[in-house]
Amino acid sequence: MTHPTHPDDTPDARRAKVQEVLDWAVAEVGVPGVVAEVGDADGHWFGTAGVADLEAGTARQRGEHLHVGSAGKAFTAATVLALEAEGRLSIEDPVEKWLPGVLSVAANGYDGNRITLRHLLSNTGGLFITGLAPEISHRYATRGALAEHRFDLWTTRELLELTVSQPPLAEPGEVFAYSNGGFYLAGAVIEAVTGNSYAEEVARTVAAPLGLTHTFVRPAGDTLYPEPYPRAYSGLFLKDGVNPEDVTAENWRSMFEEPGLPPLDTTEYNSSWAWAAGNVVSTVSDMLQVIRAFAAGTLLPEAQHRAMWTTVSTEGAHWMPHSRYGLGVFELDPAVTGGLTLRGMGGSMQGSHIVCVGTPDGERTITLHTNTEFKTWEVMFRAVEAAFGTPRVSGL
């Protein structure tokens, strides 16, 4: 593949530019610490800025175990697609086939005979935006609520009940709406099809084939990480007096605390509520291997690889700008990448944000992680600009 070039488009120049982005993220965006790993024809480069621990002042380092948030959705999608390749299911199967009665027009308004596994994995099933459910926001949306509920353990049954706790947003296939609930359902389908746990199937179909030695689905009761790991710091809290039930996909940004308040250490935290929607622990090095395999098609057979990267528009969904969504993954709009196809996955939760981007041939990749949650799309787009030589994206 031929990539865009300019006079200083060399590996060393690109790496220096990535380092500038890392330094900028700490100095200007307020990220406590950030790491990035770049893969290209010259091998791998690792960069860091800021700290892993605000109190101790220790630097971030290679090999840290991290929560990858919604990048775990790509693992769920890959597992479902691997099962399809084995002939055990089809992504065109209706949910009702594998989870009878879970989606019921009479009981909860959802038609399990019309919503398919493809709909779940592409966020087009018409499910409401589960992350904004009051049952979630009342537990985690304010500092006081998080202090009370940070070690709550969620069961699969509770997550499936949460998935259908509000009416559908749309008809199946009609719109893109980012819903953790679709991936909870996909995780339950994986277990119904195989008789194994979701974690076991992710290990069998993704981690083992790719030789990932530091990547696993986090056990439901875990509240810490294997050594080494960075401290996690969150400022993602609603303003005092805001009712979580008033938060919508349109207004959520304006409802959160103003910048400048001290972050809360959220390192010790039970993330079982994320489950098949994103409860994977990994390292930046392992995630670089994952995006290379997912983007280039070295894990899945051609038909399943093509299905993973068959995308839908996210326009109007108040999600990532300049993107289209596949099955658990995204592609950036070539209109803002200078015509270069760039594929990725990413995720954010309290105290952690990761983004992984690569070319379809797997020759150039980057993974970036901050030990705080998403703050601005500018971090990702500047890192992409530095790593791939794409144009500057404005208006973020």
Side-chain angles (χ1 to χ4, degrees):
M1 173 179 287
T2 300
H3 302 292
T5 59
H6 46 74
D8 61 346
D9 187 22
T10 65
D12 285 346
R14 290 194 298 268
R15 292 166 179 182
K17 290 179 180 179
V18 172
Q19 184 61 56
E20 290 175 4
V21 173
L22 305 186
D23 295 336
W24 164 82
V26 172
E28 301 295 332
V29 182
V31 168
V34 56
V35 293
E37 187 163 345
V38 172
D40 55 31
D42 277 18
H44 286 199
W45 172 87
F46 180 85
T48 180
V51 297
D53 187 319
L54 287 172
E55 291 189 6
T58 51
R60 299 213 46 186
Q61 60 179 297
R62 286 182 181 271
E64 292 171 334
H65 292 88
L66 326 155
H67 201 291
V68 306
S70 283
K73 290 179 170 65
F75 287 76
T76 301
T79 301
V80 171
L81 290 166
L83 292 174
E84 181 181 68
E86 293 171 0
R88 303 175 74 176
L89 57 73
S90 166
I91 60 171
E92 307 305 338
D93 287 343
V95 175
E96 179 69 15
K97 178 175 180 177
W98 299 108
L99 303 175
V102 173
L103 299 183
S104 163
V105 174
N108 48 55
Y110 292 94
D111 190 344
N113 288 301
R114 295 181 59 209
I115 300 173
T116 67
L117 304 189
R118 183 192 291 272
H119 287 139
L120 302 182
L121 299 175
S122 62
N123 285 307
T124 59
L127 279 71
F128 86 99
I129 301 173
T130 325
L132 296 179
E135 293 87 346
I136 293 287
S137 54
H138 279 294
R139 295 196 196 195
Y140 306 116
T142 66
R143 292 175 185 252
L146 181 64
E148 181 180 352
H149 295 287
R150 67 190 300 162
F151 298 122
D152 284 3
L153 179 67
W154 288 77
T155 67
T156 301
R157 179 177 178 176
E158 288 173 326
L159 294 174
L160 295 181
E161 290 174 350
L162 180 69
T163 297
V164 296
S165 62
Q166 292 189 30
L169 289 181
E171 294 296 313
E174 191 173 70
V175 298
F176 171 90
Y178 199 73
S179 177
N180 289 338
F183 288 84
Y184 299 154
L185 290 165
V189 168
I190 290 168
E191 295 190 339
V193 170
T194 65
N196 297 325
S197 73
Y198 167 73
E200 289 170 332
E201 284 300 301
V202 170
R204 182 183 71 85
T205 61
V206 181
L210 295 181
L212 307 177
T213 56
H214 299 283
T215 300
F216 56 92
V217 175
R218 196 181 198 189
D222 277 15
T223 58
L224 261 179
Y225 303 90
E227 294 278 358
Y229 60 87
R231 304 299 297 180
Y233 299 99
S234 181
L236 187 68
F237 300 107
L238 293 177
K239 298 174 183 176
D240 288 340
V242 169
N243 183 348
E245 296 185 33
D246 293 335
V247 179
T248 68
E250 292 79 15
N251 70 12
W252 66 272
R253 290 177 185 270
S254 66
M255 305 292 250
F256 281 88
E257 291 179 340
E258 299 298 331
L261 293 177
L264 182 69
D265 189 321
T266 56
T267 311
E268 290 83 10
Y269 176 63
N270 185 302
S271 54
S272 58
W273 62 267
W275 192 45
N279 200 22
V280 170
V281 172
S282 189
T283 65
V284 291
S285 293
D286 270 13
M287 292 299 286
L288 205 68
Q289 290 180 249
V290 174
I291 189 56
R292 183 183 301 115
F294 285 4
T298 57
L299 176 68
L300 296 168
E302 173 58 28
Q304 284 71 39
H305 175 66
R306 187 168 57 251
M308 173 175 266
W309 295 103
T310 299
T311 61
V312 298
S313 173
T314 66
E315 187 175 355
H318 306 280
W319 194 65
M320 180 188 296
H322 310 299
S323 68
R324 294 178 62 85
Y325 200 80
L327 302 185
V329 292
F330 66 83
E331 276 192 358
L332 295 179
D333 185 349
V336 299
T337 64
L340 181 63
T341 298
L342 290 176
R343 294 172 166 173
M345 55 187 179
S348 179
M349 69 186 316
Q350 289 89 343
S352 185
H353 178 217
I354 196 166
V355 61
C356 315
V357 177
T359 52
D361 57 13
E363 290 182 4
R364 285 165 64 172
T365 50
I366 183 172
T367 293
L368 179 147
H369 177 269
T370 66
N371 58 341
T372 190
E373 62 277 340
F374 164 86
K375 288 184 175 292
T376 170
W377 290 118
E378 199 168 1
V379 173
M380 182 190 81
F381 280 98
R382 284 203 181 193
V384 167
E385 174 191 348
F388 300 99
T390 57
R392 174 66 56 89
V393 178
S394 60
L396 297 171

